[in-house]
Amino acid sequence: MDMINMNIIESAMIAIAKEMGINVQKTAYSTIFSEAEDFTCALANREGELIAVADFCPSQIGGVPLLVRSMLREVPLSEMDEGDVIVHNDPYRGGLHTPEHTVFKPIFFDNEIIAFAVAVGHFVEVGGMAPGGFPGEATEIFHEGLRVPPVKIMKRGKDVPEVWKMMLANVRTPRGNYGDMRALISAVDLGEMRFRELVSKYGADVFSRTLSDLLDYSERRMRAEISTFPDGKYTFIDKVEDDGIEDKEYEIHVAVHVHRDEVIIDYSGSSPQAKGPINATLGVAWSAAFNAMLHLTDQSIPKNSGCFRPIRVIAPAGTIMNVDYPGSEVGGNTETHPLIVCAIFGAMANCVPQRVMASEGTTHGCFVFGGHDKVTDEPFGGFDFSYVGYGGRSFADGNDATDSINGNCANTPMEVFETRFPWIVEEYALRPDSGGAGRHRGGLSNVKQMLCTGEMLVSQMTNKHKIGAWGLKGGFEGQVGATLYMRSGSEDWKTAVEAFGKVSPSKYSNIEMKPGDRVRVLAPGGGGFGNPAERSPQAVDNDIAEGFISVKEAEDKYGFSSG
């Protein structure tokens, strides 16, 4: 094993993936790509193993190996030609959820496929029963939008018009979808070019041996890390508050078995799959397990399929952890995935307590909308993130107003949001008192109030409006979230249940909004860590001075005396 070459080649491949991502951001049409960066770019070997990935969206990182292998089952290597590009978004073929489209490009060298350039991106508009791609009341996959099995969208460098027509005819915003798909295709074109340059520099034989060594090295590093964990079975149960269809809770059961240098993450005992769209696909169940383990282990371990080898996942079919066809699943990637990660943290709090945090807010908010803009005479569709508080840790407070743990998505500037969509943002701020009290306080979430200036339909897929983010070691729960509506001419804020008769306050579809209506979205805060009585008086004073907590919160939770 040549460690010098291995490190140089790994760094070069990560740089390629990052450059691919920058290309997506700079060329995409939608704000979810250009501002929020809800995409991932990666490289895989010809067997479908992940060999390098950039630090974009964690939910997609662990899904890449299953995505590539699922694609290869239907489009074998023998049927690929130079210049082909394959597209795929089917959740039942290794995909994560319907909005997530993956494009693959085989990379040829000396007339042989040696790797794949991969770009995964979240499309706001995918057809289905609600604009914006998140129908909170979907009960089957067909409600969620167009499913595309692995098909060639380009053959030998030329567009396949029939595929383009089929995909664009089934969405409300064909111009935007066209631009975003071109952005993903240009990214894999760039990845192909850069990868070839890298292989040419070192030679195909040296490069192949180095990639094999890199995967083995990553596996050894992960095994060495796991071997420091105490052997045992560690369990935890968390809950999804409802599914948008029935007002009942669904349990996520996690049992983490640590044995020597391996980990088995078993979801047996989780609730049967829901009628509504909170179910996780197999890709989500895998990716969430990998995501959690990457957070619990040495951050310098190379992120590739090698480090996943010591981690096994058991996800019984027909449960909310592995949905059976044709169940709905669009919220499984955004809402259930972070709950799974935090449930694994909850289990591992008894194994490696110094490495885990209390629960974060475990939602992306997923406030989506669409309509026809009378000013531009164009259809529009938008996805607005909420930013949650992270959990307190043994050594620090939780992070404030951060995208949930499987997203890593950036904030869309208000100026861009108001320019692109018929909304005026009246308030955008941290939410005082939202973090759970503790020796180390839970992170604060954000609040966003918007005035509607056009006609549109809105939907939402979120969570933690009923159940707060749990604390650790005596820390308190974070505050729950809420989405409130005020009709034009009214002064009353109401939930979707109160105002529109919806089953769930957090998961619903197709609410009509008109000019003058308002919506107020409050994200959930993070759980606290440790007994609040142990928080230093200076830290409480600072929180009050900064407006992070109120005097009443300080008195009630921390025993603060203003006298």
Side-chain angles (χ1 to χ4, degrees):
M1 180 181 293
D2 185 336
M3 291 295 295
I4 295 175
N5 269 349
M6 189 180 72
N7 277 279
I8 292 172
I9 288 174
E10 185 207 4
S11 297
M13 291 192 300
I14 293 171
I16 291 170
K18 286 181 178 178
E19 188 180 5
M20 290 167 63
I22 293 169
N23 187 87
V24 173
Q25 183 187 25
K26 298 299 184 183
T27 60
Y29 282 25
S30 69
T31 58
I32 200 169
F33 283 5
S34 63
E35 302 293 343
E37 301 176 23
D38 192 352
F39 55 78
T40 288
C41 295
L43 299 167
N45 64 16
R46 60 179 280 130
E47 288 78 29
E49 293 181 298
L50 177 69
I51 54 176
V53 64
D55 291 331
F56 289 111
C57 189
S59 71
Q60 297 158 352
I61 291 174
V64 169
L66 185 59
L67 282 163
V68 181
R69 288 175 177 175
S70 298
M71 178 272 294
L72 287 171
R73 292 180 63 180
E74 300 196 38
V75 187
L77 296 175
S78 60
E79 296 181 8
M80 296 182 192
D81 294 304
E82 195 163 348
D84 287 355
V85 176
I86 298 154
V87 64
H88 159 37
N89 82 321
D90 191 347
Y92 289 100
R93 288 176 163 93
L96 301 177
H97 64 168
T98 312
E100 218 110 89
H101 288 60
T102 305
V103 296
F104 315 84
K105 187 168 190 179
I107 302 174
F108 284 75
F109 192 84
D110 289 341
N111 299 314
E112 182 181 0
I113 295 174
I114 58 170
F116 290 93
V118 184
V120 189
H122 182 127
F123 281 61
V124 170
E125 175 53 46
V126 289
M129 65 183 283
F134 273 88
E137 296 166 339
T139 57
E140 58 181 6
I141 189 68
F142 307 107
H143 289 158
E144 296 183 357
L146 179 68
R147 284 163 53 228
V148 182
V151 294
K152 294 182 182 181
I153 195 168
M154 298 188 73
K155 288 184 178 179
R156 298 183 178 182
K158 295 183 178 181
D159 288 342
V160 181
E162 295 82 1
V163 173
W164 281 97
K165 290 176 182 178
M166 179 271 297
M167 294 182 66
L168 298 179
N170 282 279
V171 296
R172 297 172 178 86
T173 56
R175 180 174 174 272
N177 284 49
Y178 175 85
D180 287 347
M181 184 59 69
R182 285 294 185 201
L184 293 183
I185 292 173
S186 68
V188 295
D189 286 346
L190 177 63
E192 174 197 32
M193 181 177 68
R194 293 285 188 255
F195 195 84
R196 278 179 172 171
E197 292 170 353
L198 192 61
V199 177
S200 296
K201 181 177 180 179
Y202 289 92
D205 290 340
V206 171
F207 201 86
S208 178
R209 287 197 304 271
T210 303
L211 288 188
S212 179
D213 289 344
L214 176 61
L215 293 172
D216 292 344
Y217 172 72
S218 181
E219 177 184 1
R220 286 199 300 274
R221 289 281 308 275
M222 180 60 78
R223 289 188 182 278
E225 190 78 358
I226 293 171
S227 68
T228 67
F229 295 178
D231 282 1
K233 176 183 177 181
Y234 306 96
T235 62
F236 196 83
I237 299 174
D238 211 337
K239 297 177 180 179
V240 186
E241 62 195 19
D242 62 54
D243 70 340
I245 303 299
E246 297 181 293
D247 186 13
K248 67 177 187 180
E249 297 173 350
Y250 297 82
E251 291 187 342
I252 295 171
H253 287 235
V254 169
V256 182
H257 302 263
V258 179
H259 181 65
R260 296 180 180 173
D261 61 355
E262 292 187 345
V263 164
I264 298 173
I265 297 176
D266 185 359
Y267 303 128
S268 297
S270 298
S271 294
Q273 72 182 55
K275 293 180 181 178
I278 61 168
N279 302 297
T281 64
L282 180 61
V284 169
W286 281 22
S287 189
F290 299 151
N291 188 2
M293 289 302 298
L294 289 174
H295 276 86
L296 294 172
T297 52
D298 189 336
Q299 300 299 296
S300 68
I301 296 174
K303 295 177 180 62
N304 58 48
S305 286
C307 71
F308 299 154
R309 291 172 183 167
I311 305 165
R312 296 170 58 195
V313 178
I314 299 173
T319 68
I320 63 167
M321 306 303 292
N322 185 3
V323 61
D324 272 341
Y325 177 86
S328 56
E329 50 66 59
V330 69
N333 196 39
T334 60
E335 309 307 303
T336 307
H337 180 135
L339 276 170
I340 298 168
V341 173
C342 283
I344 294 171
F345 289 171
M348 296 300 283
N350 293 318
C351 178
V352 282
Q354 74 281 6
R355 299 194 183 201
V356 303
M357 67 177 181
S359 175
E360 49 114 334
T362 64
T363 181
H364 298 275
C366 300
F367 183 81
V368 300
F369 48 88
H372 193 90
D373 193 327
K374 293 180 179 179
V375 176
T376 63
D377 195 28
E378 284 270 351
F380 67 89
F383 181 116
D384 195 36
F385 288 89
S386 296
Y387 297 96
V388 300
Y390 271 36
R393 298 153 286 178
S394 62
F395 57 91
D397 293 344
N399 295 335
D400 298 323
T402 305
D403 192 30
S404 197
I405 201 161
N406 64 322
N408 197 34
C409 294
N411 174 64
T412 298
M414 297 306 100
E415 297 83 358
V416 174
F417 186 78
E418 292 180 339
T419 301
R420 294 290 297 272
F421 307 116
W423 293 102
I424 293 174
V425 180
E426 297 182 319
E427 180 185 2
Y428 191 59
L430 290 176
R431 185 184 172 200
D433 295 336
S434 56
R439 174 162 48 90
H440 295 295
R441 174 179 50 75
L444 304 183
S445 59
N446 76 328
V447 56
K448 188 174 188 177
Q449 182 172 309
M450 298 176 283
L451 171 67
C452 181
T453 62
E455 295 182 357
M456 67 183 78
L457 294 175
V458 305
S459 303
Q460 191 169 31
M461 169 58 67
T462 185
N463 200 46
K464 285 211 173 351
H465 282 195
K466 304 174 186 177
I467 302 172
W470 44 264
L472 274 178
K473 309 296 183 183
F476 287 20
E477 284 188 354
Q479 280 193 9
V480 295
T483 301
L484 306 172
Y485 293 89
M486 181 190 288
R487 286 302 197 193
S488 178
S490 173
E491 295 184 357
D492 297 326
W493 289 104
K494 297 180 179 180
T495 66
V497 175
E498 297 164 338
F500 311 111
K502 298 295 186 180
V503 171
S504 169
S506 56
K507 304 169 189 69
Y508 46 84
S509 304
N510 292 330
I511 290 174
E512 291 188 23
M513 296 286 284
K514 296 182 178 180
D517 293 342
R518 286 179 167 84
V519 62
R520 185 172 176 83
V521 182
L522 300 98
F529 188 103
N531 189 337
E534 298 174 359
R535 188 168 179 81
S536 73
Q538 182 179 359
V540 176
D541 283 339
N542 289 341
D543 282 348
I544 294 172
E546 293 286 354
F548 296 157
I549 66 173
S550 63
V551 173
K552 185 177 186 308
E553 175 87 353
E555 292 173 344
D556 292 347
K557 304 287 178 63
Y558 295 99
F560 174 81
S561 175
S562 56

